[in-house]
Amino acid sequence: MKLAVLISGRGSNLQALIDACAKDEFPAEIALVLSNKADAQGLHRAAQGGIATAVLKHTDYANREAFDRAMSERLEEAGVDLICLAGFMRLLSDGFVKRWRDKVINIHPSLLPAFKGLHVHERAVEAGVRFSGCTVHVVRPAMDEGPIIAQAVVPVLQNDTADDLAARILIQEHRIYPMAVRLIAEGRLRIGAERAIVDAPEP
Ligand code: GRF
């Protein structure tokens, strides 16, 4: 299965996917890393892994739809089957999500549907929740919504700062993102309108 990974910055989840794809038995490869920022650190990670990169600056386009159309063209050219958002800080237009329905997945650093949006860890610490975590989900037009593919839970400790919590969750992100891609690449995920169901592995 051919992946595209869309990034805007650090790219540590991209790195986790690069590392997973480097393993012989992993059923996917990264065909393209696309960034909307020319200075995204993740672009260096891709180059180091010998992966094709593209930079499309959203500021070069008249509106979101035009930017998304340009992305779609680039993704089609690369022949990708699955688009992994990994710290990609742009909202996607309905047109894009429709064009790639059930083929775009995202990782979010909370236990969705709790704490959608930005400043997730600050908000979790402030709310005094005892557990948080991360979610990989299928992308639907509304932000941070869509069928859940995988989640991991971590404790929130009494004296945690937002950074402490972010670091604890990030370790789990790097574990479950490749796991979610594997489920899809192995054809083990049935995606419905609201929910996704994982089929048991072949005995
Ligand atoms: C991660 O915490 C991810 O869950 C969120 O943005 C952050 C991206 O980090 N969507 P990185 O660029 O993968 O290091």
Side-chain angles (χ1 to χ4, degrees), residues 174-196:
H174 298 162
R175 191 175 63 81
I176 68 168
Y177 214 177
M179 199 177 94
V181 169
R182 178 189 283 280
L183 285 176
I184 295 170
E186 289 178 347
R188 289 173 52 203
L189 192 78
R190 277 186 283 141
I191 304 169
E194 311 275 332
R195 289 202 306 150

Side-chain angles (χ1 to χ4, degrees), residues 7-15 41-42 45 85-89 106-110 121 134-135 144 166 169-170 173-174 177:
I7 60 166
S8 298
R10 180 177 59 181
S12 71
N13 279 288
L14 163 65
Q15 189 67 56
Q41 195 194 329
R45 299 179 189 268
L85 308 182
F88 183 66
M89 301 304 283
N106 180 43
I107 184 145
H108 182 76
S110 76
H121 306 300
C134 48
T135 304
D144 298 329
I169 290 174
L170 195 63
E173 294 186 37
H174 298 162
Y177 214 177

